[in-house]
Amino acid sequence: MIKARMKWKLVNEEQHKPLIKELAEQLSYSPLFISLCLQRGLDTEEKIKSFIQPTEEGIHDPFLMHDMERAVERIMMAVEKGDKIVIYGDYDADGVTSTSVLLETLEMIGANVDFYIPNRFTDGYGPNTKAFENLIQEGCQLIVTCDNGVSGHEAIQKANELGVDVIVTDHHELPEELPQAYAVVHPRHPEGHYPFEDLAGVGVAFKVATALLGEMPVELLDLVAIGTIADLVSLRDENRVLAMQGIQALKQTQRIGLNALYEIANLNKNDLSEESVGFIIGPRLNAPGRLGDASPAVKLLTTFDDSEAQSIAQFIQSKNEERQKYVKQITDEAFDMLEEIDTETDVYVLAKEGWHEGVLGIVASKVVGKTGKPTIVLNIDQANGTAKGSGRSVQAFHLYEALDTVRPLTAAFGGHHMAAGLTVPLENIEKIQAKLNEYAVTQQVAGEMGEEVQIDKVLEISDLTVDAIEEINQLAPFGTDNPKPTFLLDGVEVQSIRKIGADGTHLKMSVQLDQYLLDSIGFGFGELVDKIPEKTVLSTIGKLEINEWNRARKLQFRVEDVAVKGIQCFDYRGTQIPETLWKNEQADFMFFDPENHMRFKDKIHPSSKSHNVQTRKEAKEFKMENKHLVLVDCPPSMTMLSLVLEDNQPENISYSFYSSSNDYLEGMPSREKFAETYKFIRSHQNIDVKNQLSILAKTLNIKENRLIFIIQVFFEVGFVKIDNGLLNQIENPEKKDLTQALTYQKKLQRISAEEKLVYSHSWEVDKWLLQQLSTGE
């Protein structure tokens, strides 16, 4: 059994079937496409058409935004006077694109303008009092923030005291009390009338630019698309128009910095999409700010110097590679920590000295993705006696509200439902872990974690066409509030499966839906290859996409989660026990041979338990302590194994069935060999089997172990006697059938067990094991 990482929630299409049919006929679209439209609230012909082909009518008047007119007037006054204006931005992709938009706009209208990006580690997020003071000392006469500012009370107050106005342009959550800025331009300002609340910071900056220029600066849409997509804001309404037009602008951009970045990232402009922005461009623009100074990202976006563009692009690429190394190292260490933590824990708090603070949010996201549990990842600073880092959550667990309950145990924290940043005194780390787990219990979400994912449709063979995917792609760009459709492949059989990638971290498999073989790829799912043998029937959710190679276009399924129902069996059989068998964690290792138990028990993983069953009573009473059963060696009989399985219900069974005796291959000695041996014993007296067994074996041309077996059978039926190591016949023994001897019966049972368990096809072994378990129910 493989449990899904996420909670799968299938959309109910039944209620929409009549409307799906009606709209499909009206618009000449497939029922699949129309059903996806309805899930997005597009339930009329007009809504569907305007969503697929939005116009500039969806771009709202910037002056509907609170304080826009006041902000424009103040900026124009500063431009006319030649006052020095400083754009105070932020260090992420939204922040650097916002800064670039305002910087270029003010340069267009002749402003004396410069920019400042706060350092994540020395200035922190948002307006910093010391940074404001330094800027003012250097001659700044007007500060315009972008992508920050609504919480910068102290710094803005200091600027006011020093006689410098501050214009705030921001999109983050509004605090109960706003700072005393000259103007606060914000789409959700309670006194404003702006019809769309979810602009990114760069979207707000773009509205300021539009207001200053008196027209929409289409040449800035490439920057707007980057910040909007990277900041994960809603891709509906105005943002959809900005993103769509911005992606087209990115394909045609003349920015030498962006073109240099495309080249170094091996990005084909013609293939550029929202995924290119989200996974290639955005992370690279984020990288400098994660590790230090983000201003090179602004310079890259605004430079007119070819050599400078190439140099900065190379620098940003190196920073991104450095960021990736930090993420991999810390993620690996975090996963190692998880192995030592109680799996029943509902919230993870992971802390270690030497972790780079700039990437801890990414690491937390990766842990959440693997475990489905809220995670806080902290860097320990022994010098300050604190730990600082980031947390990420799942839908069922409101991280901000949870942290609010432990506020006295923190030095500082902030965030929202799904993410948070915090600083914690070292002595409170374990207390916070305990309290957050208690909160999960009180909120009745303990044990109910896991990211919830909406499944748009169960795939049918009729859906598997390139035309269907091209039709669906008309709903792009995909993102927040307009997710790329997630599909379910239910009960498909694996035809081939293997690990790919330099370190085998990814999965590539082919699954069969009816008569269709669908190639599938799962990034980060490489570990499942060892748990999913060919012919396994599984269910998987993910995205359908078109894979182009050598001008050939074919469908590919991008795996996002996998589930295998029922008990899985894994075949580890061979002439020796493979070392990989011992790596199974949280498993019950079953030994039938006491010698094997003594020899191998110390090899098993610390989280697992070893058991040695030698009698039927012990087999009958055996109770598993874990969900995974590992059958190390071959049982003495099929009955013994059946009794072990009888009252247990493992989720997985791994078997090696190691046997050093090879009873099946040797078989039972022939009747002639029994007769020949008995004839020799009758014609000789006082045979010294204690000291001369090997000589006797050579004389009879038989292996020693088989000779011992024959003698033991004769002894049990009363044909021979042994005194002080001397073997003699018994005169006139009672006539008995040799097959009734206990030794003879045990060997027969071992032969049968080896035949069925060691030398049968794996599917036959699996079938027998599963039959025993179903009988046990």
Side-chain angles (χ1 to χ4, degrees):
M1 176 184 291
I2 296 176
K3 293 182 178 179
R5 298 179 182 180
M6 298 179 278
K7 294 180 178 179
W8 300 0
K9 184 179 179 182
L10 184 61
V11 170
N12 181 9
E13 293 182 334
E14 291 299 319
Q15 57 183 327
H16 296 307
K17 275 193 172 180
L19 185 55
I20 290 173
K21 183 179 179 182
E22 177 186 338
L23 289 172
E25 291 173 354
Q26 283 180 7
L27 297 169
S28 298
Y29 281 118
S30 69
L32 170 61
F33 180 79
I34 296 298
S35 71
L36 296 173
C37 290
L38 292 178
Q39 290 166 31
R40 287 158 174 73
L42 310 175
D43 54 6
T44 66
E45 181 177 349
E46 182 183 355
K47 288 180 182 178
I48 292 172
K49 286 182 176 178
S50 64
F51 191 85
I52 293 172
Q53 294 181 318
T55 64
E56 288 187 8
E57 292 179 3
I59 302 291
H60 306 303
D61 181 354
F63 288 100
L64 293 174
M65 207 173 293
H66 179 265
D67 271 355
M68 181 66 79
E69 189 170 349
R70 181 174 169 82
V72 168
E73 288 175 354
R74 181 66 184 85
I75 291 171
M76 295 305 296
M77 182 189 303
V79 173
E80 291 168 7
K81 293 171 61 179
D83 289 345
K84 182 177 181 181
I85 304 171
V86 173
I87 310 300
Y88 190 94
D90 189 28
Y91 39 70
D92 65 4
D94 188 21
V96 299
T97 51
S98 303
T99 303
S100 300
V101 164
L102 288 181
L103 182 65
E104 288 195 356
T105 300
L106 291 177
E107 286 175 342
M108 278 188 241
I109 60 177
N112 174 17
V113 62
D114 200 355
F115 73 92
Y116 181 84
I117 304 291
N119 186 292
R120 178 192 295 263
F121 306 104
T122 56
D123 297 325
Y125 167 76
N128 176 280
T129 303
K130 185 64 178 174
F132 271 27
E133 287 178 332
N134 291 339
L135 291 172
I136 292 168
Q137 286 175 7
E138 293 167 2
C140 171
Q141 293 161 290
L142 175 64
I143 296 173
V144 180
T145 74
C146 54
D147 195 30
N148 73 93
V150 291
S151 297
H153 296 77
E154 184 179 333
I156 292 171
Q157 180 59 39
K158 173 58 70 174
N160 291 339
E161 292 171 2
L162 295 174
V164 172
D165 291 334
V166 178
I167 294 173
V168 171
T169 76
D170 199 356
H171 73 119
H172 290 96
E173 287 295 330
L174 290 164
E176 290 185 11
E177 183 179 344
L178 290 170
Q180 296 299 309
Y182 183 88
V184 177
V185 180
H186 194 294
R188 290 197 298 277
H189 196 291
E191 296 176 17
H193 305 284
Y194 203 72
F196 181 62
E197 296 184 344
D198 286 322
L199 289 172
V202 72
V204 178
F206 184 71
K207 305 312 289 190
V208 174
T210 302
L212 284 167
L213 296 170
E215 61 181 0
M216 191 172 77
V218 293
E219 66 273 21
L220 298 177
L221 282 170
D222 50 359
L223 300 180
V224 177
I226 294 172
T228 298
I229 293 169
D231 212 50
L232 302 179
V233 292
S234 172
L235 287 187
R236 301 293 291 265
D237 201 280
E238 186 172 18
N239 281 345
R240 177 170 174 80
V241 185
L242 295 174
M244 288 184 75
Q245 294 190 9
I247 288 172
Q248 291 306 312
L250 283 168
K251 290 180 178 181
Q252 302 161 9
T253 188
Q254 297 302 308
R255 292 181 188 277
I256 57 178
L258 274 180
N259 283 319
L261 192 64
Y262 292 170
E263 182 179 353
I264 206 163
N266 295 316
L267 181 58
N268 187 332
K269 289 172 73 169
N270 296 326
D271 297 332
L272 196 142
S273 67
E274 72 275 13
E275 291 188 349
S276 310
V277 175
F279 297 106
I280 298 176
I281 300 173
R284 282 165 173 77
L285 294 179
N286 270 324
R290 286 192 178 280
L291 304 183
D293 179 16
S295 6
V298 176
K299 292 176 181 175
L300 177 78
L301 297 175
T302 57
T303 185
F304 291 95
D305 185 308
D306 281 322
S307 61
E308 183 181 42
Q310 292 294 331
S311 175
I312 298 175
Q314 182 62 59
F315 170 77
I316 285 178
Q317 177 71 6
S318 68
K319 284 296 177 184
N320 189 55
E321 290 170 358
E322 186 181 350
R323 187 267 307 171
Q324 289 172 328
K325 288 179 182 176
Y326 279 127
V327 170
K328 185 180 186 311
Q329 172 204 331
I330 298 171
T331 301
D332 288 345
E333 292 176 6
F335 286 162
D336 288 342
M337 283 185 178
L338 293 180
E339 293 184 5
E340 308 300 323
I341 296 176
D342 182 1
T343 55
E344 297 303 313
T345 297
D346 288 301
V347 183
Y348 292 122
V349 179
L350 308 176
K352 187 175 180 180
E353 193 169 6
W355 281 354
H356 199 295
E357 292 176 17
V359 301
L360 297 187
I362 301 174
V363 175
S365 294
K366 288 183 177 293
V367 176
V368 172
K370 181 172 183 176
T371 65
K373 296 181 179 182
T375 301
I376 293 170
V377 184
L378 304 168
N379 172 58
I380 292 176
D381 185 341
Q382 292 287 0
N384 292 330
T386 60
K388 185 178 180 182
S390 300
R392 296 292 184 269
S393 194
V394 296
Q395 197 63 40
F397 190 87
H398 198 299
L399 187 56
Y400 182 87
E401 291 180 358
L403 285 171
D404 198 37
T405 65
V406 296
R407 184 182 291 271
L409 297 175
T410 69
F413 83 89
H416 51 80
H417 185 152
M418 302 293 283
L422 68 163
T423 302
V424 180
L426 294 183
E427 63 271 17
N428 290 345
I429 293 176
E430 291 186 6
K431 296 176 185 175
I432 287 175
Q433 164 99 58
K435 291 290 185 182
L436 291 178
N437 277 287
E438 288 177 12
Y439 179 82
V441 174
T442 59
Q443 295 298 305
Q444 298 182 335
V445 294
E448 296 296 325
M449 300 297 184
E451 183 181 353
E452 186 174 276
V453 59
Q454 176 177 295
I455 300 168
D456 296 284
K457 190 178 188 299
V458 179
L459 280 176
E460 301 171 20
I461 195 166
S462 58
D463 300 323
L464 300 179
T465 68
V466 170
D467 288 344
I469 305 311
E470 288 182 333
E471 192 178 58
I472 290 170
N473 286 341
Q474 293 180 79
L475 297 172
F478 298 111
T480 304
D481 292 338
N482 182 36
K484 193 169 188 177
T486 298
F487 297 108
L488 168 63
L489 283 167
D490 193 26
V492 292
E493 185 176 87
V494 177
Q495 299 303 311
S496 65
I497 185 167
R498 60 189 173 92
K499 292 180 181 178
I500 60 171
D503 49 1
T505 53
H506 311 308
L507 168 155
K508 187 171 181 61
M509 66 179 174
S510 176
V511 298
Q512 185 164 344
L513 177 61
D514 294 334
Q515 301 306 310
Y516 193 102
L517 281 179
L518 179 62
D519 288 338
S520 305
I521 188 164
F523 295 105
F525 285 85
E527 62 182 25
L528 287 184
V529 173
D530 297 327
K531 301 176 182 178
I532 303 177
E534 290 182 6
K535 303 302 180 183
T536 296
V537 175
L538 56 74
S539 296
T540 177
I541 62 170
K543 307 290 194 287
L544 266 180
E545 53 196 19
I546 300 171
N547 184 27
E548 295 194 25
W549 179 253
N550 288 337
R551 297 184 180 179
R553 308 177 81 224
K554 100 184 260 198
L555 289 187
Q556 176 175 272
F557 191 78
R558 180 147 43 92
V559 174
E560 294 182 344
D561 204 1
V562 174
V564 179
K565 296 177 182 177
I567 301 164
Q568 282 186 279
C569 298
F570 303 98
D571 188 349
Y572 285 84
R573 294 177 300 175
T575 55
Q576 299 295 325
I577 302 174
E579 288 298 316
T580 51
L581 184 76
W582 312 117
K583 295 180 180 179
N584 284 293
E585 301 175 20
Q586 296 178 327
D588 287 293
F589 280 74
M590 172 59 64
F591 295 85
F592 294 100
D593 186 329
E595 291 184 10
N596 287 336
H597 184 241
M598 290 301 297
R599 179 182 172 191
F600 296 118
K601 66 178 182 179
D602 293 335
K603 281 179 167 281
I604 70 173
H605 191 273
S607 66
S608 295
K609 180 77 180 288
S610 69
H611 308 268
N612 182 209
V613 165
Q614 299 180 46
T615 68
R616 289 193 176 195
K617 182 175 184 294
E618 290 173 342
K620 183 75 174 172
E621 293 175 351
F622 169 69
K623 292 290 182 290
M624 289 180 62
E625 298 180 24
N626 298 287
K627 297 294 186 182
H628 187 176
L629 178 62
V630 180
L631 301 167
V632 179
D633 50 15
C634 191
S637 69
M638 298 299 286
T639 301
M640 185 77 86
L641 179 55
S642 184
L643 289 172
V644 163
L645 299 172
E646 191 173 87
D647 292 323
N648 290 289
Q649 282 298 311
E651 292 182 357
N652 298 307
I653 300 177
S654 296
Y655 54 82
S656 169
F657 293 135
Y658 170 70
S659 175
S660 58
S661 64
N662 295 319
D663 285 287
Y664 173 72
L665 293 180
E666 290 182 355
M668 191 68 75
S670 65
R671 292 178 62 86
E672 290 75 17
K673 188 57 70 175
F674 274 103
E676 181 185 342
T677 304
Y678 188 61
K679 182 179 179 181
F680 182 89
I681 294 171
R682 289 183 63 186
S683 61
H684 293 76
Q685 294 183 349
N686 297 322
I687 302 170
D688 189 355
V689 292
K690 182 176 182 181
N691 300 307
Q692 297 182 340
L693 184 68
S694 60
I695 297 173
L696 178 60
K698 287 181 181 179
T699 301
L700 294 170
N701 191 26
I702 188 173
K703 291 181 179 180
E704 286 187 36
N705 64 324
R706 292 171 75 79
L707 177 58
I708 293 171
F709 170 73
I710 290 172
I711 292 172
Q712 182 66 31
V713 171
F714 287 158
F715 180 82
E716 289 179 10
V717 297
F719 287 4
V720 301
K721 60 184 177 180
I722 301 174
D723 293 318
N724 296 320
L726 299 177
L727 172 67
N728 287 285
Q729 71 161 336
I730 292 178
E731 297 293 338
N732 302 316
E734 182 182 341
K735 192 171 184 178
K736 288 186 179 178
D737 186 349
L738 296 180
T739 62
Q740 299 305 306
L742 181 60
T743 297
Y744 195 100
Q745 289 295 314
K746 285 185 175 180
K747 187 173 182 68
L748 278 179
Q749 291 173 350
R750 290 198 302 274
I751 289 173
S752 176
E754 287 187 15
E755 178 185 14
K756 290 181 172 64
L757 302 174
V758 180
Y759 296 103
S760 294
H761 289 293
S762 59
W763 66 267
E764 294 177 293
V765 177
D766 296 353
K767 182 179 179 181
W768 186 88
L769 291 170
L770 296 177
Q771 283 176 340
Q772 305 311 302
L773 292 167
S774 63
T775 303
E777 291 178 350

